[in-house]
Amino acid sequence: MSAIGLKLFLPGFRSQHVLPGFRLSLGFTLFYLTSLVLVPLLALVIRPVELGFGGFWAAISTPRVLASLRLSFGMALAAAAIDSLFGLIIAWVLVRYRFPGKGLLDAVIDLPFAMPTAVAGIALSTLYAPNGWIGSFLAEYGIRVAYTPWGVLVAMILIGLPFTVRTLQPVLSEQGKAALQAGHPNNIVTVDLPHLPPKTCIKN
């Protein structure tokens, strides 16, 4: 038997962990994960089983549910396309150029990460309401954003843009170094673009 096996069977043997309170922290993490993630997911599985296939299909085929699915997936697809385009442009500018205020712009990109979801929703509703800073300007042209599908699109763009930028920045930085080493510092077509679609798809 190996030395490790002997230690496991020795009375009074206690494993040593780098972090103190490992068992307590692990237990709290498992409890948190189970109560907030696994239990709701389990309920989503149990409820359709109780309804049966017929009841489940009747529940998801109601006009309200179908409208919700179209809104969610349609706006998510549109937001992903917009974020991919403008996220690529922003990441390219931040990686390749130096200009005044670059650090401020780089910090603003992470702002949606720092804001709670409720705060972001209230801020967007206030800005795009008919009496808001942006909404009042759009109202003059008959455009309403707050509490409409367009508002959902704006919110998804705001939340998704930082993920796109932060995902593409390392790729552009590494490929830029490879381009410089190959003697083609501006060759975006042959060096940068082939590596972007996988990263963009992973983000989306």
Side-chain angles (χ1 to χ4, degrees), residues 3-189:
I4 298 178
L6 289 174
K7 289 183 180 180
L8 292 177
F9 289 97
L10 287 176
F13 171 76
R14 301 181 64 181
S15 61
Q16 300 294 329
H17 297 282
V18 177
L19 296 176
F22 174 77
R23 294 180 180 179
L24 178 62
S25 60
L26 178 61
F28 177 79
T29 302
L30 293 177
F31 172 77
Y32 185 86
L33 178 65
T34 302
S35 59
L36 296 184
V37 178
L38 298 182
V39 172
L41 290 178
L42 183 62
L44 291 177
V45 175
I46 294 177
R47 183 59 177 171
V49 172
E50 294 177 350
L51 294 175
F53 180 77
F56 174 71
W57 182 258
I60 66 172
S61 60
T62 58
R64 178 174 295 182
V65 173
L66 293 178
S68 301
L69 293 176
R70 283 195 297 268
L71 175 64
S72 299
F73 287 101
M75 293 298 104
L77 180 61
I82 295 173
D83 283 339
S84 298
L85 175 61
F86 289 97
L88 172 59
I89 297 174
I90 295 174
W92 176 270
V93 171
L94 290 176
V95 169
R96 296 301 178 89
Y97 301 103
R98 294 182 179 180
F99 52 90
K102 178 180 177 180
L104 178 62
L105 176 61
D106 192 62
V108 170
I109 293 297
D110 292 330
L111 187 60
F113 289 146
M115 287 193 307
T117 306
V119 175
I122 294 173
L124 290 176
S125 300
T126 304
L127 289 174
Y128 286 93
N131 58 347
W133 289 354
I134 302 177
S136 60
F137 173 77
L138 297 176
E140 297 178 359
Y141 299 92
I143 302 175
R144 183 180 177 184
V145 176
Y147 310 109
T148 66
W150 298 113
V152 176
L153 177 62
V154 171
M156 288 186 173
I157 293 173
L158 175 68
I159 299 301
L161 185 62
F163 290 97
T164 306
V165 175
R166 296 311 181 205
T167 302
L168 296 179
Q169 271 184 308
V171 181
L172 294 174
S173 179
E174 291 298 325
Q175 297 310 316
K177 294 178 182 179
L180 290 174
Q181 293 175 358
H184 303 284
N186 296 319
N187 202 339
I188 182 175
V189 176

